[in-house]
Amino acid sequence: SYIKNFFQIYIQCLTKKYFQFSERANSKEYFIFLLFDSIISFFIAFIFNSLLWKYFFMITTIPCYAVSIRRLHDVNKTGWWILIITPIPYIILYFYGLQVLETTSQILKILFLITLIFMIGVFLWFNTYLLLKKGIPDANKYGKPPTD
């Protein structure tokens, strides 16, 4: 069944491909990982508690980066592009947010909200691009095209 196949792809990303930053991942593998990871993360965060979610997040962060980098390789982009999306903007936003929380300035709070909306937009654009962009059909410097 499709669900069983999808779950196997997700588990493979968490086990066999946990530290695999080389080679390529097709849009199906990328989508399935994001989908299952989001569903499980949502379930843990809202049904259980935040401590369990933090452990889950720590466990799945590396494979999330790995599948994203492999997906970038499939569209013939360097894995360093991942730094544009994470973690650098979020570190900047975090420290910026700490300053905003300590101020009463409405202008700073509005600027923080605009920045946050912009970053969410960039994140959504990036993931949509990786989901919809067709991979290079031939071998590239990152390896042979992934098989389904």
Side-chain angles (χ1 to χ4, degrees):
S1 83
Y2 286 112
I3 300 292
K4 183 179 179 184
N5 185 30
F6 288 178
F7 192 67
Q8 287 173 340
I9 291 171
Y10 179 72
I11 294 299
Q12 186 178 41
C13 285
L14 288 175
T15 55
K16 181 181 174 189
K17 296 182 177 182
Y18 194 91
F19 288 108
Q20 186 179 346
F21 295 93
S22 60
E23 298 182 4
R24 297 164 59 174
N26 59 22
S27 58
K28 178 182 175 183
E29 180 182 358
Y30 183 72
F31 172 76
I32 289 169
F33 183 84
L34 289 183
L35 178 67
F36 272 83
D37 202 56
S38 298
I39 290 170
I40 294 168
S41 182
F42 179 81
F43 179 75
I44 289 172
F46 288 101
I47 304 300
F48 294 105
N49 61 42
S50 62
L51 182 62
L52 186 59
W53 180 82
K54 288 176 186 175
Y55 287 128
F56 178 78
F57 179 78
M58 288 177 8
I59 291 167
T60 60
T61 297
I62 292 172
C64 185
Y65 277 107
V67 74
S68 298
I69 289 169
R70 290 195 314 273
R71 182 68 189 123
L72 282 164
H73 290 169
D74 192 43
V75 296
N76 211 27
K77 304 285 185 219
T78 177
W80 290 107
W81 276 98
I82 200 75
L83 294 178
I84 291 174
I85 304 305
T86 59
I88 292 172
Y90 293 102
I91 293 169
I92 293 168
L93 188 63
Y94 174 76
F95 287 110
Y96 182 51
L98 289 178
Q99 289 179 351
V100 168
L101 289 174
E102 294 177 3
T103 185
T104 57
S105 170
Q106 292 297 78
I107 293 174
L108 276 179
K109 290 179 181 179
I110 290 170
L111 286 174
F112 178 74
L113 184 61
I114 291 169
T115 305
L116 183 62
I117 291 169
F118 174 76
M119 288 182 62
I120 290 170
V122 169
F123 178 78
L124 292 174
W125 172 85
F126 178 77
N127 281 299
T128 303
Y129 171 79
L130 289 180
L131 287 170
L132 299 178
K133 176 82 172 152
K134 291 204 179 278
I136 305 300
D138 300 320
N140 63 18
K141 63 183 176 181
Y142 303 106
K144 295 178 184 175
T147 57
D148 276 340

